[in-house]
Amino acid sequence: MASGSPVSGGQQLRGAIDSGETDDILGRIYDRSILKRVFAFMADMKWHLVIGAFGILLRTAANLVTPLVVAMATNRIIEGNFDGLTIASLLYLGILLLTWVAQYLETLHLSYTAQGILMKMRVTMFSHLHDCSMSFFDRNKIGKIMSRVQNDVDQLQMLVSQDFIMVAVNLVTLIGIIAIMVSLNWQLALLSMATLPVLVIIVVIWQQHARKAFVLARRAIAMVNDNLQESISGVRVTQNLSRENRNVKNFDEVNKANLEANKKAALLQGMIMPLTQILTDGSYVIVLIFGGFQVLDGTMPVGFLLAFLLYIQRVAQPVQQLATMYTEIQRAMASGSRIFELIDVKPEIEDAPHARTMQKAGGTI
C-alpha cells in the first residue's frame, strides 16, 4: 500500500514484522513520498539537525587531519627540531579540543532532533488512534499497533537524525583518506589500497547474508513480544480455562526460535570483524615492506610511513558501516510506510462537515 493513500477504518493493517514477507521489513532504499512526510515532523528541529550535522563533519575533518599532525611531530623529532615539535604538539591539542566541541554539538543537537521527532510522531499516532473506529481494533492486534507506535517510530527517527548524515560522513571519510594518501605518496597509496576491492567484495557478500539473518532475528523478537502481550492481557481467560501449561509451552517455542535466530545473526556479526582485521593487517604488511624500503632509501620521511599506517586503520570502518547502513535505511523506509499507513486510517464514522463542537454540556435532558 502506498504511503498517503486513505485506509478504511475497519481494514486490517499489513503484517509488518510478524508477516512472512521480507519486503514488509525492508523497504526501498529511497522513497520520496515517505521522506516528504517525515520532514514535516521535523520543521521545529531543522536547526538542531543542521548543528548536529556540522558537529559530525567537524569531527570527521579532525580525524582526517590527526595522522598528518602525528607525521609532522614524528618528522620534527627525528630532525631534532624542537620548535617544530612544539608547534605540532599545540596543533594536536587544538585538534583534540576541536573534536571535543564537535562531539558535544553532535551528541546534544542530534539527541534534541531525535527526541523531538519521537515526541511529535508518537503524539500524532496516539491522538489518531483515539479517533479510529472500534472495528479497527477488532481487526488488528494490539501488539502490531504498539510495534508501529514504538519500534517503527524509533527506526524512522534514526534514519532522519543519524543514518543519512552518517552515510555522507563515511563517504567523505573514505574519499578523504584516499585523497590524502595519494597526495603523500601515490605509489604507496596504490599498493596499500590493493586489499580495498577485496574488502568491499567481502562486505557486500556478508551484507546479503547478514540482511536475511537480521530480518529473521527482528521477526523472531516481534513474535516473542506479540505472544507476551497477548498472554498477559488474556491471563484471566488462560487461568479460567487452565491453559497455563499450553501458553508456557507456546512462549517457550517462540523464545527458542528467537534464540536460534539471534545466534545465527551473532555468528555472522562475529565473522566480519576478523575478516576486516586480516585485510587491514595485510595492508599494514604491504606498507611496512614497501614504505620501509622508501624510508631506508631516504625517499620518504618516517612520519609519512606512520601516517599511512594510521590511515589504513581508518579505511575499513567506513566501508563496513556503509554496507550496514544500506539495510538500516531499507528498514527505516519500511517503518515509515507502516507508520503512515496507520496515520492514514480513516474512522468509519466521521463528523458532518459543518458539525458544531459542544462547548460545555449542561448536564440536563
Side-chain angles (χ1 to χ4, degrees):
M1 182 177 298
S3 173
S5 57
V7 183
S8 170
Q11 180 172 326
Q12 186 175 7
L13 297 172
R14 289 179 296 121
I17 54 178
D18 56 353
S19 75
E21 297 298 326
T22 302
D23 290 340
D24 282 332
I25 301 176
L26 300 176
R28 290 181 291 176
I29 192 66
Y30 176 77
D31 193 321
R32 184 173 178 272
S33 62
I34 290 175
L35 292 178
K36 185 177 180 181
R37 297 184 68 175
V38 170
F39 289 147
F41 283 92
M42 53 181 294
D44 299 334
M45 304 293 162
K46 59 183 179 182
W47 285 113
H48 287 299
L49 184 63
V50 170
I51 296 173
F54 175 74
I56 292 179
L57 292 174
L58 202 61
R59 178 172 57 85
T60 302
N63 288 335
L64 286 174
V65 173
T66 299
L68 291 177
V69 177
V70 173
M72 176 182 174
T74 303
N75 290 335
R76 297 302 175 267
I77 292 172
I78 294 174
E79 294 169 1
N81 187 341
F82 180 78
D83 292 336
L85 177 61
T86 302
I87 294 172
S89 300
L90 291 175
L91 283 174
Y92 189 78
L93 289 175
I95 290 173
L96 291 179
L97 180 61
L98 185 64
T99 302
W100 180 85
V101 173
Q103 286 181 331
Y104 174 78
L105 293 175
E106 172 190 344
T107 304
L108 180 66
H109 289 280
L110 289 185
S111 295
Y112 283 162
T113 302
Q115 294 305 316
I117 295 172
L118 278 174
M119 184 191 73
K120 293 184 71 173
M121 277 195 170
R122 283 177 175 162
V123 168
T124 299
M125 296 176 76
F126 184 79
S127 176
H128 179 70
L129 285 170
H130 281 74
D131 295 330
C132 290
S133 307
M134 288 186 287
S135 60
F136 172 79
F137 297 97
D138 292 334
R139 291 182 171 90
N140 294 280
K141 294 180 180 180
I142 299 300
K144 183 189 297 183
I145 297 173
M146 289 293 294
S147 175
R148 299 191 183 209
V149 177
Q150 293 182 341
N151 300 337
D152 285 332
V153 171
D154 280 333
Q155 192 75 45
L156 192 59
Q157 67 86 11
M158 285 287 291
L159 170 72
V160 178
S161 64
Q162 292 189 26
D163 288 349
F164 278 155
I165 297 174
M166 292 308 299
V167 167
V169 166
N170 282 312
L171 286 173
V172 170
T173 300
L174 190 60
I175 295 172
I177 288 174
I178 294 174
I180 292 173
M181 292 174 68
V182 170
S183 67
L184 292 177
N185 188 321
W186 68 268
Q187 297 99 331
L188 191 59
L190 291 178
L191 288 172
S192 63
M193 291 293 109
T195 60
L196 185 59
V198 180
L199 176 62
V200 172
I201 293 172
I202 289 177
V203 170
V204 169
I205 295 174
W206 170 84
Q207 190 268 343
Q208 293 174 352
H209 292 282
R211 168 181 168 174
K212 296 177 183 178
F214 294 152
V215 164
L216 291 176
R218 185 170 169 83
R219 186 180 298 147
I221 191 61
M223 296 299 293
V224 170
N225 292 336
D226 189 43
N227 186 287
L228 184 62
Q229 187 274 330
E230 289 189 354
S231 297
I232 293 177
S233 62
V235 67
R236 292 182 177 86
V237 176
T238 300
Q239 292 175 345
N240 289 335
L241 298 177
S242 300
R243 283 182 53 89
E244 293 91 343
N245 292 335
R246 180 60 184 170
N247 280 22
V248 170
K249 183 179 179 181
N250 290 341
F251 189 69
D252 186 56
E253 289 175 355
V254 295
N255 253 328
K256 287 181 179 178
N258 179 54
L259 174 63
E260 293 301 319
N262 279 279
K263 284 169 65 177
K264 291 180 181 178
L267 177 64
L268 285 167
Q269 190 72 34
M271 288 175 59
I272 188 63
M273 290 306 296
L275 289 173
T276 302
Q277 190 62 47
I278 289 172
L279 291 173
T280 302
D281 291 342
S283 296
Y284 279 158
V285 172
I286 293 174
V287 169
L288 284 172
I289 293 174
F290 291 95
F293 281 124
Q294 291 185 8
V295 170
L296 293 175
D297 292 339
T299 57
M300 185 174 72
V302 177
F304 283 8
L305 177 61
L306 180 58
F308 264 90
L309 294 175
L310 292 175
Y311 280 124
I312 289 171
Q313 192 178 25
R314 289 164 163 78
V315 166
Q317 186 177 6
V319 175
Q320 186 178 343
Q321 287 186 352
L322 285 170
T324 303
M325 284 180 182
Y326 184 87
T327 300
E328 291 297 320
I329 293 174
Q330 284 183 304
R331 189 179 296 169
M333 288 294 180
S335 293
S337 178
R338 292 193 293 271
I339 288 170
F340 293 120
E341 181 193 16
L342 176 59
I343 291 176
D344 290 338
V345 171
K346 287 189 174 182
E348 291 182 336
I349 301 175
E350 296 182 299
D351 291 334
H354 303 290
R356 291 185 299 174
T357 301
M358 181 180 294
Q359 300 298 327
K360 185 177 180 181
T364 58
I365 298 178

